[in-house]
């Protein structure tokens, strides 16, 4: 498999990260404001008025195409903003080919696509790297492990997870093991060797993970950073990591690289980390189908501004509301009041206050905020990806960021691949 398209020089990676740090700081008021806090914080007050006016002048369909689309007909302020996004983001790319599914069970198209693409990459890397064992960290139910065992030219697959979801056994004549272990940030290569060999009661993997590969699909939050640290301290043959759940990152997992640490780019806001997870390509693809979802966000924001306490509504309650056709703001507020046990007098007062926001002009202004907020997502995610990439470069590894997944089907579309220039044990 050709990895060349995923190779980024250290100088370019640092330059993009530096531009990203400036962008993140410049538009912090957008990405650090949760949608529910829109009326409480007035984030558009901190954004240049000509940029706000430019978004206000777009149709809903045009808003949904941002930040991927661009046009010379856009106002200069919007063109400049989109240029800043592109200069501080990894490009959104389609993978070279969609592989036929190897999963024989009834999985979602997203899961099938991810396992097919990543297992093919791992098989290709294993065949050219003298890999004996594939260590799948955060194995889950073992779907990736099973497909790797069928494809890869290795002795077997070892899955590590905080819970055991499948039994040890054999697939395609290869050994498969599941090891129960809660991975922590202070674990180094020898800790994995010890945990694995003690669990299976034999010397399965070699010291410093020599001859083993570290892989992970949906390595959430700090787990992804932990795997990166472990690889850097090991003699593992290669790393193939598909991260997710940036919102679960803490200051323990970000920043790792000296470059990002020196830039002093804190993304410690929960709202900012959540924005980094937004599936911009998917929103663009769905277009007008997203309008009811934006109205729900708007209704929630209005209700949150009218309550003295923090608005906290269970997802099941919101899903039930979202299924109502032609849901109005008044109906939403009344239903929330009933759910929260508000008195009739409080409900009437909230309905009167909500009526002030029940205009298309007010909703359009909210849509402008949400469009700008969503448009910062590629830059935020790029900061997380480049941080790990630069950390591995700083440790002397060869690194690649491959656009392996379809960004509409699987929004966390980049996979981090690394090998050792000079293995730790040599």
């Amino acid at each position: 498999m050709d990895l060349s398209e995923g190779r980024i020089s250290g100088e370019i990676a640092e330059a993009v990260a530096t531009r990203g740090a400036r962008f993140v700081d410049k538009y912090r008021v957008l990405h650090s404001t949760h949608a529910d806090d829109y009326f409480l914080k007035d984030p558009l007050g901190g954004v240049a008025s000509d940029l706000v006016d430019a978004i206000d002048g777009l149709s809903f369909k045009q808003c949904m195409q941002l930040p991927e689309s661009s046009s010379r007909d856009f106002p200069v302020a919007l063109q400049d903003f989109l240029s800043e996004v592109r200069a501080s983001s990894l490009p959104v790319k389609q993978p070279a080919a969609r592989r036929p599914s190897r999963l024989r069970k009834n999985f979602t198209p997203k899961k099938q696509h991810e396992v097919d693409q990543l297992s093919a990459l791992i098989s290709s890397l294993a065949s050219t790297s003298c890999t004996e064992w594939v260590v799948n960290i955060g194995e889950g139910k073992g779907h990736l492990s099973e497909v790797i065992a069928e494809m890869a030219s290795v002795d077997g697959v070892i899955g590590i997870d905080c819970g055991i979801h499948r039994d040890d056994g054999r697939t395609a004549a290869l050994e498969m093991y599941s090891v129960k272990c809660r991975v922590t940030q202070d674990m180094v290569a020898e800790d994995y060797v010890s945990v694995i060999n003690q669990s299976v009661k034999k010397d399965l993997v070699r010291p410093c993970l020599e001859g083993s590969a570290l892989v992970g699909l949906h390595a959430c939050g700090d787990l992804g950073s932990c795997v990166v640290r472990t690889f850097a301290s090991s003699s593992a043959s290669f790393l193939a990591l598909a991260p997710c759940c940036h919102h679960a990152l803490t200051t323990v997992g970000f920043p790792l690289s000296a470059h990002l640490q020196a830039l002093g780019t804190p993304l410690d806001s929960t709202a900012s980390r959540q924005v980094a997870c937004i599936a911009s390509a998917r929103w663009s693809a769905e277009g007008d189908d997203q309008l009811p979802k934006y109205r729900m966000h708007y209704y929630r924001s209005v209700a949150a501004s009218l309550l003295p306490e923090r608005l906290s509504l269970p997802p099941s309650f919101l899903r039930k509301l979202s299924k109502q056709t032609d849901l109005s703001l008044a109906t939403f507020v009344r239903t929330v009041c009933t759910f929260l046990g508000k008195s009739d007098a409080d409900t009437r007062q909230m309905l009167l206050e909500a009526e002030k926001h029940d205009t298309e002009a007010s909703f359009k202004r909210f849509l402008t905020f949400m469009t700008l907020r969503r448009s910062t997502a590629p830059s935020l995610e790029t900061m997380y990806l480049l941080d790990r990439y630069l950390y591995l470069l700083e440790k002397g590894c060869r690194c690649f960021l491959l656009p392996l997944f379809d960004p509409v089907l699987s929004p966390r579309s980049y996979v981090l691949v690394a090998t050792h220039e000079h293995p730790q044990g040599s």
Side-chain angles (χ1 to χ4, degrees), residues 40 51 66 70 100 103 111 129 133 193 208 240 244 255 289 307 311 319-320 345-346 370 374 385 405 423-424:
L40 300 174
L51 177 57
L66 299 181
S70 185
L103 296 180
K111 171 66 76 173
S129 61
W133 292 93
V193 174
C208 211
C244 74
D289 292 341
L307 291 168
L311 179 63
R319 283 195 296 270
K320 184 178 179 180
D346 286 343
M370 292 293 281
R374 192 189 76 244
L385 294 174
F405 304 140
Q424 298 290 320

Side-chain angles (χ1 to χ4, degrees), residues 17-262:
T18 300
R19 289 195 293 268
R22 289 198 294 263
F23 179 88
V24 164
D25 188 58
K26 180 177 180 179
Y27 296 104
R28 189 174 300 278
V29 68
L30 292 173
H31 58 76
S32 65
T33 301
H34 193 280
D36 284 358
D37 296 330
Y38 168 73
F39 287 102
L40 300 174
K41 295 186 175 181
D42 185 29
L44 292 183
V47 180
S49 59
D50 53 350
L51 177 57
V52 173
D53 292 343
I55 301 292
D56 274 342
L58 300 180
S59 66
F60 180 78
K61 183 177 181 179
Q62 288 175 311
C63 286
M64 289 300 96
Q65 296 303 313
L66 299 181
E68 282 77 17
S69 70
S70 185
S71 171
R72 293 180 180 178
D73 295 331
F74 286 161
V76 172
L78 179 53
Q79 291 187 46
D80 289 346
F81 173 75
L82 295 176
S83 294
E84 289 182 87
V85 173
R86 287 191 293 271
S88 58
S89 306
L90 293 170
V92 177
K93 294 182 178 180
Q94 288 288 341
R98 294 281 291 275
R99 300 177 184 278
S101 177
R102 287 178 173 269
L103 296 180
R104 293 183 290 271
K105 301 172 186 177
N106 186 26
F107 296 116
T108 65
K110 177 178 181 290
K111 171 66 76 173
Q112 290 179 352
H113 172 62
E114 292 169 342
V115 170
D116 291 338
Q117 295 288 104
L118 186 56
S119 61
L121 172 64
I122 292 168
S123 178
S124 175
L125 292 169
S127 67
T128 59
S129 61
C130 300
T131 297
E132 299 166 359
W133 292 93
V134 174
V135 181
N136 182 11
I137 301 177
E139 181 190 44
K141 296 183 178 179
H143 303 145
L144 177 63
S145 295
E146 291 175 8
V147 178
I148 293 172
E150 290 183 355
M151 294 179 63
S153 55
V154 296
D155 293 343
V157 183
I158 303 163
I160 296 181
D161 205 284
C162 59
I164 299 297
H165 304 288
R166 65 169 177 82
D167 297 326
D168 292 346
R170 285 179 173 268
T171 301
L174 294 183
E175 294 181 86
M176 296 179 65
Y177 296 92
S178 283
V179 175
K180 186 175 181 178
C181 173
R182 183 171 293 280
V183 175
T184 59
Q185 291 292 330
D186 58 351
M187 289 179 69
V188 295
E190 287 307 315
D191 294 320
Y192 285 87
V193 174
S194 177
V195 166
I196 292 170
N197 289 345
Q198 287 181 22
S199 177
V200 301
K201 297 181 173 58
K202 57 181 175 179
D203 293 336
L204 204 62
V205 295
R206 289 192 271 160
C208 211
L209 292 172
E210 185 178 355
S212 298
L214 296 181
V215 306
L217 175 60
H218 297 161
C220 297
D222 287 345
L223 176 60
S225 300
C226 183
V227 176
V228 167
R229 280 196 180 105
T230 299
F231 178 78
S233 71
S234 76
S235 295
S237 53
F238 67 85
L239 168 73
L241 182 70
C244 74
C245 300
H246 302 311
H247 64 277
L249 273 167
T250 69
T251 53
V252 173
F254 176 87
L256 295 182
S257 68
H259 185 74
L260 266 294
Q261 289 175 13

